[in-house]
Amino acid sequence: MTTASTTAVPTLIGSVQRALRLLEAVGTHRDGAPAKQLAREAGLPLPTAYHLLRTLTHEGYLRRENGVFLFGAAAERLADDGALQNRRSRMTQSLGRWRDIIGAPVYCAVYRDGEIELVAVADTPAAPAVEEWAAFGETGHAHAIGQCLLSQLDEQAREDHLDRHPVRPLTRYSVRDRPALLERLRSVERMEPVIERQEYALGTVCAAIPITAGFTAAAMAISVPLDQSERLLPAVERLRGEVASLLRSFVFSISI
């Protein structure tokens, strides 16, 4: 006796499928399209199309202007989120490649909306990233990435940041106070690496390089153990060369 095999059929929600077909139809018309045309292209009865179009408009996925339907703010946010995810994915891949070439953790950060934001980190169990034991965004004065970003700001933005995130020593090697930090930042040479030795974490040295990204302050960095500090400068120069090559290829985008 043989038993016929059955293939499980997923439960599909018809209204969702129909709504998605309408959204796809809207997406093919840059200047929008009327309900009758969208219904025809989506293969839907006009009353059904009207009902779904009203619902999608109410939820913000569509908007109606001059008798035609276009993507609304909610749909545009989805598109923006997808593009953002794609850029982050490309950045993660680049950092991973540089990590493998250099043999050290690689970090990327930006200064956005008045705060230091660590965007991505690539490390390995053999070469782990520095543990964030003190809030990274609040201790920019004490690590290479933060100092690199702060050095790119104008005087007013820098002072504003330090008003909100006061200088405080994290280790015995940290910059001691605000005047000392400001003097250091003013001495940073444009496009030169910023070096930090055990100021954020004992036993670790770091170097960061500024990234030219329009009006956005950005930085890439690496870290190595203190007993490998002789690797730091050659490694950061290698990173600078890799980043410059990628920027020239127009593949890299820092708009994240």
Side-chain angles (χ1 to χ4, degrees):
M1 180 177 178
T2 59
T3 302
S5 62
T6 59
T7 302
V9 178
T11 301
L12 303 179
I13 301 176
S15 59
V16 175
Q17 291 178 302
R18 292 188 286 272
L20 291 173
R21 290 208 299 272
L22 278 174
L23 288 173
E24 289 172 353
V26 172
T28 63
H29 299 281
R30 181 176 180 179
D31 298 320
K36 288 183 179 180
Q37 183 177 356
L38 294 172
R40 184 171 62 253
E41 294 177 0
L44 299 176
L46 187 56
T48 300
Y50 273 130
H51 174 71
L52 291 171
L53 289 169
R54 283 197 300 269
T55 302
L56 290 168
T57 300
H58 179 268
E59 295 298 326
Y61 289 96
L62 296 177
R63 69 181 193 276
R64 189 176 185 182
E65 294 182 1
N66 302 319
V68 301
F69 290 89
L70 305 101
F71 281 142
E76 291 168 355
R77 282 196 300 273
L78 288 176
D80 289 343
D81 289 347
L84 172 62
Q85 186 61 38
N86 188 41
R87 290 195 296 271
R88 287 185 183 273
S89 177
R90 291 202 307 271
M91 173 173 289
T92 299
Q93 291 174 2
S94 295
L95 262 64
R97 184 170 64 84
W98 297 333
R99 172 204 62 206
D100 295 340
I101 290 172
I102 297 168
V106 181
Y107 312 76
C108 178
V110 296
Y111 194 83
R112 180 159 45 205
D113 298 329
E115 298 296 340
I116 294 169
E117 180 182 341
L118 188 61
V119 174
V121 179
D123 64 351
T124 65
V130 176
E131 181 181 355
E132 186 177 352
W133 69 274
F136 193 83
E138 299 174 7
T139 57
H141 61 280
H143 47 72
I145 280 182
Q147 293 174 22
C148 187
L149 292 173
L150 292 174
S151 72
Q152 298 176 59
L153 304 181
D154 61 39
E155 201 73 29
Q156 181 177 350
R158 192 181 299 160
E159 294 283 358
D160 174 71
H161 181 90
L162 296 177
D163 285 343
R164 290 180 289 108
H165 304 299
V167 175
R168 57 185 178 88
L170 299 185
T171 76
R172 63 180 180 274
Y173 301 99
S174 301
V175 64
R176 309 310 297 176
D177 53 37
R178 182 166 175 158
L181 175 68
L182 291 173
E183 182 179 355
R184 177 187 296 186
L185 295 178
R186 283 191 289 267
S187 69
V188 172
E189 295 288 339
R190 184 175 180 273
M191 303 311 294
E192 287 301 306
V194 175
I195 308 299
E196 169 260 301
R197 301 179 184 277
Q198 302 191 89
E199 294 183 47
Y200 178 80
L202 294 175
T204 302
V205 294
C206 302
I209 54 173
I211 304 297
T212 301
F215 297 105
T216 302
M220 306 284 294
I222 60 170
S223 63
V224 297
L226 179 62
D227 60 7
Q228 299 177 26
S229 57
E230 72 282 354
R231 296 179 51 215
L232 187 65
L233 289 180
V236 79
E237 288 300 327
R238 180 66 184 273
L239 176 63
R240 180 153 59 174
E242 292 289 335
V243 172
S245 176
L246 189 56
L247 286 170
R248 285 194 298 270
S249 73
F250 301 103
V251 175
F252 185 87
S253 170
I254 202 70
S255 302
I256 51 180

